[in-house]
Amino acid sequence: MARPADPHARAALIAAARAEFMKKGLKGARIEDITAACGLSKGAFYLHVASKEALFGEVLGEFMSSLQGLIDQRREETEQFFAEQGAVEASDVSERSARYERLLAMSAEGDLRTLELMWAYRDVMQVLMRGSQGTDFESLMWGFVDREVSRVAQEFRRLQSGRALRSDVPSEVIGSLIVGTYVLLAQRMSQMQEKPDLAAWANSIHLLIREGCVPRCDVAAPVEPPRAPPPKPSTSSRRASSRALSRTRSTPRSGS
C-alpha cells in the first residue's frame, strides 16, 4: 500500500521549487536542487508531483484562478455601479460629484487588491516573463496581457462615451499603458526583498491615470495678458499722410 504524501513536505517542496524557478528559470531549475533545499529525497519529489513543469503549472493555476477572481469581482462591481448610479459624464468629473468620487475609490481598491496578489505571486510572474522560454508556458503571459488590454480598453470606452475621459487618446493605448504599468511593477516586485507600500503604489497609479485622462474641456486654457491698443497717430502724422495720399491720387499715371 502506497504511503500518503506528507502535506507539510509538499508545502516545503512547493516553496523550494518556487525559489529555484525564480533564480534559474523553469528549464534551469533542477529537481535535486529543489529537494535538497527542503530536505527531501528525489523520490519524495515524485511522490508529490509528476514533474517540475507540473509543479509550476499547479502554482500558476492558483495564481491565474485568483487573478481571474479579482477581474470578475471588478467587472461585477463596475456593472453594479453603473446600474445603480448611471453613466458618469464630464460634469461629474469637473464637479467632483459624489458618484465620481465613489467610482475613483472603487477603482483604487481594485488596484490595491491586484497589487497584493501580484506581490504574493511575484516569483510566478517573474518566471512567466523571463524564465519560461522554451517551455509550454512561454507565451502564456503575453496572451493574458493582450486580453487584459482589450478588457481595460472596453472599460475606458464606456467612460469616453459619456465624455468622462478625454476622447482624443485611443482606448487601446490607455489599456496598453495601464496593463504595461502593472507588468513593469511585477518585474520590480520580483527584485524586492521587503514589501513596499502597495496602497501608495495603487494611489499613485490611480492619480496618474485619472489626471492624465481628464477631458480636455476641463483643462483651463492659459490666460493671455491683455494686449495694449496700438498708439494713435499724432495730428502732424495724420496731416502728412493725407497730403501724401492726395498727391498720389492727383499724379497722372504713366502711359495714359
Side-chain angles (χ1 to χ4, degrees):
M1 180 178 179
R3 65 188 171 90
D6 182 0
H8 298 291
R10 179 180 177 81
L13 181 67
I14 291 175
R18 289 177 65 168
E20 284 295 311
F21 293 153
M22 189 170 179
K23 287 190 295 185
K24 300 177 182 177
L26 191 53
K27 293 191 72 174
R30 301 190 310 166
I31 293 176
E32 50 265 39
D33 292 334
I34 295 172
T35 54
C38 60
L40 296 175
S41 66
K42 193 172 181 179
F45 178 92
Y46 291 106
L47 180 64
H48 292 277
V49 67
S51 65
K52 62 181 182 180
E53 290 81 9
L55 191 152
F56 179 73
E58 181 179 321
V59 177
L60 176 62
E62 294 174 357
F63 170 61
M64 297 300 289
S65 177
S66 298
L67 184 58
Q68 187 61 51
L70 291 183
I71 292 172
D72 293 341
Q73 179 183 358
R74 194 161 190 164
R75 183 183 293 112
E76 291 172 3
E77 289 176 348
T78 301
E79 293 300 327
Q80 182 178 357
F81 172 86
F82 285 108
E84 295 176 353
Q85 302 292 324
V88 175
E89 300 175 348
S91 59
D92 291 296
V93 180
S94 60
E95 298 169 5
R96 307 287 295 187
S97 68
R99 66 173 173 176
Y100 179 63
E101 291 291 345
R102 180 178 173 185
L103 178 63
L104 294 181
M106 184 180 69
S107 299
E109 290 171 4
D111 292 336
L112 179 56
R113 289 194 299 263
T114 301
L115 289 174
E116 290 284 359
L117 181 66
M118 287 169 54
W119 175 258
Y121 287 92
R122 59 193 184 280
D123 57 319
V124 174
M125 296 194 69
Q126 170 74 353
V127 173
L128 287 176
M129 289 187 287
R130 303 184 64 179
S132 61
Q133 293 81 0
T135 72
D136 293 339
F137 305 99
E138 184 174 5
S139 61
L140 184 64
M141 176 73 175
W142 308 114
F144 177 78
V145 166
D146 288 341
R147 291 192 298 273
E148 275 300 282
V149 168
S150 298
R151 183 188 66 82
V152 174
Q154 182 179 6
E155 291 184 359
F156 270 76
R157 280 195 293 272
R158 167 185 266 171
L159 294 173
Q160 285 175 325
S161 64
R163 301 186 181 277
L165 294 179
R166 59 188 302 164
S167 58
D168 58 332
V169 178
S171 58
E172 290 77 10
V173 173
I174 300 175
S176 298
L177 179 66
I178 295 174
V179 177
T181 297
Y182 276 96
V183 171
L184 291 176
L185 288 178
Q187 170 66 16
R188 182 169 177 79
M189 286 180 184
S190 69
Q191 300 171 355
M192 302 176 72
Q193 298 298 322
E194 296 185 4
K195 185 178 180 179
D197 186 346
L198 295 180
W201 281 23
N203 289 332
S204 297
I205 295 170
H206 199 64
L207 176 64
L208 290 173
I209 294 171
R210 182 183 69 206
E211 296 296 336
C213 292
V214 170
R216 298 186 68 182
C217 60
D218 290 336
V219 179
V223 179
E224 296 184 2
R227 296 181 180 179
K232 295 182 179 180
S234 62
T235 304
S236 58
S237 298
R238 289 199 300 270
R239 289 175 180 172
S241 298
S242 298
R243 287 196 296 269
L245 181 58
S246 177
R247 286 197 299 270
T248 301
R249 290 175 175 173
S250 60
T251 302
R253 297 180 181 177
S254 60
S256 43

